[in-house]
Amino acid sequence: MNLRDQLTSDMKDAMRAKDAVRLRTIRSLRAAIQSADIDARGGEGLDEEAVLAVEAKQRRDAITQYESADRDDLVATEQEELDVIETYLPKQMSDAELAQAVDQVVTQSGATGMADMGKVMGQAMGRFKGKAEGGRVQQAVKARLSA
């Protein structure tokens, strides 16, 4: 079952269960995918996982902004939606898994210091796409190369 079919099925289940948060979030995801479809017409194909990753990042950014504004009610809403979105994303790497994988990339690339940051980041982001956020990868690479 592809992602669109899964979202449709889960939306129907959320309607039956009267799960307002899940229903609202799934509708939002479906709208984002449909919008990306329209934007992609005549161009490359649509990467649905990329759309979900963008939606998750938007929720994380909103949570950060709402926390700095002491809007706990809005933080809770965004966190609920983020929790639903994350069920459709690949499992995120733990910090230990990420550090170990970055060590492998650094070793394979022959990087010796911070001057090689771009080379390592390019390989790491390609390898960890969808499994770790760019900011986390960057922190791990910096820590490894500065050690």
Side-chain angles (χ1 to χ4, degrees), residues 2-136:
N2 68 23
L3 180 61
R4 291 169 198 258
D5 294 339
Q6 183 66 46
L7 287 171
T8 301
S9 174
D10 290 351
M11 185 177 71
K12 290 174 185 176
D13 292 342
M15 281 188 228
R16 286 184 200 110
K18 299 187 186 325
D19 185 345
V21 172
R22 190 165 187 78
L23 180 59
R24 175 181 70 232
T25 305
I26 292 172
R27 282 181 173 160
S28 171
L29 293 175
R30 288 176 42 128
I33 290 171
Q34 187 173 16
S35 176
D37 270 347
I38 292 168
D39 292 344
R41 284 191 185 152
E44 293 184 14
L46 171 67
D47 183 4
E48 295 165 349
E49 283 190 16
V51 172
L52 292 180
V54 167
E55 290 292 313
K57 183 175 181 351
Q58 288 175 346
R59 298 310 192 287
R60 287 185 193 101
D61 291 345
I63 288 170
T64 303
Q65 291 175 0
Y66 291 146
E67 284 174 340
S68 66
D70 289 327
R71 292 295 310 265
D72 294 334
D73 56 329
L74 297 175
V75 169
T77 301
E78 294 293 331
Q79 186 61 54
E80 289 172 339
E81 291 181 4
L82 178 59
D83 292 343
V84 172
I85 293 169
E86 286 178 341
T87 64
Y88 297 102
L89 292 172
K91 181 182 175 288
Q92 295 290 299
M93 298 174 83
S94 70
D95 290 339
E97 291 170 331
L98 181 59
Q100 182 181 10
V102 165
D103 283 343
Q104 290 175 352
V105 171
V106 169
T107 302
Q108 290 172 355
S109 68
T112 57
M114 289 301 288
D116 298 319
M117 176 90 174
K119 177 170 65 170
V120 174
M121 280 298 294
Q123 291 178 16
M125 290 307 294
R127 182 182 281 186
F128 310 143
K129 182 181 179 183
K131 297 178 185 174
E133 290 181 24
R136 287 184 58 217

